[in-house]
C-alpha cells in the first residue's frame, strides 16, 4: 500500500521479510468501506462506555450506502468524532434506539461465527437446567443484552423434546435469524422452533409482524406449566398466561 511504500508502516514490511503487504490500516479501511459508519457527537463518546444502546441524540452522522441505512439491523462501525473505533453495532434508522452494540472489540467482526459463539455460550450456561427440565417446565435461555444478543429472547418449554420459543425484537438479531435458529438447534438438540411476535416491540423497530414455526412442529395452542407451585395455562404462541382453575 502507499503507506508501506512511504515507510509509514515499515515495521510490518520488515516483520514479513521485506515483502510488500497490505497494512492493518488499509485492511480496516477497505473493510469499513463496505459498512455503515456511525460518527458520535464530540463529547458524547464517554457516555457510551459500557452501554448497549445508542440513541439518535448521540449521533452526529451516518455514512454508507442508502439501502444499508434503510435496512433494519445493518452492521455499522461506531467511531468517535476523531475517527477512533468505538464499537460495532446493529443500526436501525426506524427505531428510537438507533444502534445496539454487538462488540467493543476492534478485532471481533460481526459474522456467523460470532452469533454461533454467543448462542452456544448462552446455552452452555443453561445445560444443567435443560437436562433436568420437565415436560411442563418453561426455561428462559437467552435474554438479549445479557448474552450479547440484543433484542433476542429465547425460552424452552418441555425440555429438548419440547419447543424453543424465540422473539426477535431488534433489527440486528432479526437479520441473523437463520444463524441464530441453526445455533439454537445444534446447542440444545431441540428440533421444534417457533417465532413469537411481540407486536409492540417489532412495530417500534420497523419490523414486519410475523410469527410461525421456523423448524419442526408448531406448539399446541395451550400447555400447562407450574411456576412457584402455581399451575398456569400458557399460550406458547402469544405468551399469554392465565392461572389454572
Amino acid at each position: 500500500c502507499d503507506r508501506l511504500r512511504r515507510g509509514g508502516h515499515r515495521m510490518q514490511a520488515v516483520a514479513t521479510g521485506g515483502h510488500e503487504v497490505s497494512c492493518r490500516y488499509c485492511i480496516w479501511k477497505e473493510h469499513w468501506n463496505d459498512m455503515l459508519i456511525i460518527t458520535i457527537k464530540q463529547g458524547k463518546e464517554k457516555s457510551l462506555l459500557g452501554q448497549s444502546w445508542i440513541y439518535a441524540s448521540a449521533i452526529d452522522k451516518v455514512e454508507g450506502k442508502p439501502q444499508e441505512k434503510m435496512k433494519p439491523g445493518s452492521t455499522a462501525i461506531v467511531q468517535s468524532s476523531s475517527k477512533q473505533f468505538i464499537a460495532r453495532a446493529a443500526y436501525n434508522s426506524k427505531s428510537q434506539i438507533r444502534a445496539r452494540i454487538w462488540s467493543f472489540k476492534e478485532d471481533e467482526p460481526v459474522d456467523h461465527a460470532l452469533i454461533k459463539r454467543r448462542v452456544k455460550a448462552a446455552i452452555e450456561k443453561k445445560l444443567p437446567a435443560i437436562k433436568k427440565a420437565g415436560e411442563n417446565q418453561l426455561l428462559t435461555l437467552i435474554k438479549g443484552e445479557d448474552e450479547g444478543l440484543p433484542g433476542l429472547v429465547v425460552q424452552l418449554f418441555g425440555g429438548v423434546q419440547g419447543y424453543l420459543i424465540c422473539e426477535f425484537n431488534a433489527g440486528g438479531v432479526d437479520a441473523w435469524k437463520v444463524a441464530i435458529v441453526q445455533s439454537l438447534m445444534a446447542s440444545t438438540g431441540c428440533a421444534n422452533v417457533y417465532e413469537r411476535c411481540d407486536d409492540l416491540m417489532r412495530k417500534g423497530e420497523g419490523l414486519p409482524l410475523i410469527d410461525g414455526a421456523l423448524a419442526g412442529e408448531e406448539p399446541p395452542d395451550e400447555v400447562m406449566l407450574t411456576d412457584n407451585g402455581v399451575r398456569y395455562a400458557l399460550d406458547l404462541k402469544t405468551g399469554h398466561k392465565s392461572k389454572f382453575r
Side-chain angles (χ1 to χ4, degrees):
C1 75
D2 289 341
R3 281 174 164 246
L4 280 173
R5 279 191 281 270
R6 292 198 306 267
H9 289 264
R10 188 172 298 140
M11 287 303 294
Q12 183 168 351
V14 171
T16 55
H19 298 293
E20 187 171 298
V21 295
S22 294
C23 70
R24 184 171 180 270
Y25 169 85
C26 293
I27 291 172
W28 280 119
K29 183 178 179 183
E30 181 180 354
H31 187 52
W32 285 24
N33 286 340
D34 295 329
M35 291 187 183
L36 296 179
I37 305 294
I38 300 172
T39 302
I40 301 301
K41 292 178 180 176
Q42 188 173 6
K44 292 281 188 178
E45 294 92 343
K46 288 184 179 180
S47 67
L48 302 182
L49 296 178
Q51 301 298 314
S52 299
W53 298 351
I54 301 176
Y55 290 94
S57 59
I59 295 175
D60 178 31
K61 59 184 177 180
V62 179
E63 302 169 277
K65 298 176 181 178
Q67 62 268 32
E68 290 298 309
K69 290 183 182 181
M70 295 304 297
K71 185 171 67 176
S74 290
T75 301
I77 295 291
V78 183
Q79 66 178 13
S80 67
S81 56
S82 59
K83 302 188 184 303
Q84 297 299 306
F85 176 89
I86 296 176
R88 282 184 178 80
Y91 177 73
N92 190 348
S93 64
K94 301 174 183 178
S95 173
Q96 291 186 359
I97 302 171
R98 284 291 193 271
R100 296 172 189 256
I101 301 296
W102 283 118
S103 177
F104 288 102
K105 298 178 181 178
E106 190 172 358
D107 60 353
E108 186 172 45
V110 180
D111 53 17
H112 189 283
L114 177 138
I115 299 299
K116 182 179 179 179
R117 284 197 307 273
R118 293 194 176 176
V119 171
K120 184 178 180 181
I123 298 304
E124 283 180 346
K125 290 190 292 185
K126 300 288 186 176
L127 277 180
I130 291 172
K131 291 177 180 178
K132 294 179 182 178
E135 62 179 14
N136 293 322
Q137 190 172 355
L138 183 69
L139 298 175
T140 297
L141 303 184
I142 296 177
K143 291 179 66 176
E145 283 79 0
D146 291 350
E147 313 298 344
L149 296 160
L152 178 66
V153 178
V154 180
Q155 294 180 311
L156 176 68
F157 177 80
V160 296
Q161 301 302 318
Y163 304 89
L164 286 162
I165 310 298
C166 305
E167 294 182 21
F168 300 88
N169 293 329
V173 289
D174 196 68
W176 286 98
K177 187 181 297 182
V178 172
I180 289 169
V181 170
Q182 290 174 342
S183 298
L184 282 170
M185 295 175 70
S187 299
T188 63
C190 183
N192 304 311
V193 186
Y194 186 84
E195 179 176 2
R196 179 191 291 164
C197 180
D198 185 321
D199 290 4
L200 186 62
M201 292 292 291
R202 287 184 68 88
K203 281 181 181 177
E205 290 288 307
L207 298 171
L209 304 183
I210 53 176
D211 56 22
L214 299 176
E217 300 178 356
E218 286 196 3
D221 291 335
E222 187 176 87
V223 298
M224 301 303 300
L225 73 150
T226 303
D227 186 10
N228 292 324
V230 180
R231 295 186 72 205
Y232 288 89
L234 173 69
D235 185 339
L236 289 173
K237 297 177 180 178
T238 64
H240 179 72
K241 186 168 64 173
S242 56
K243 186 179 291 188
F244 177 70
R245 290 192 253 273

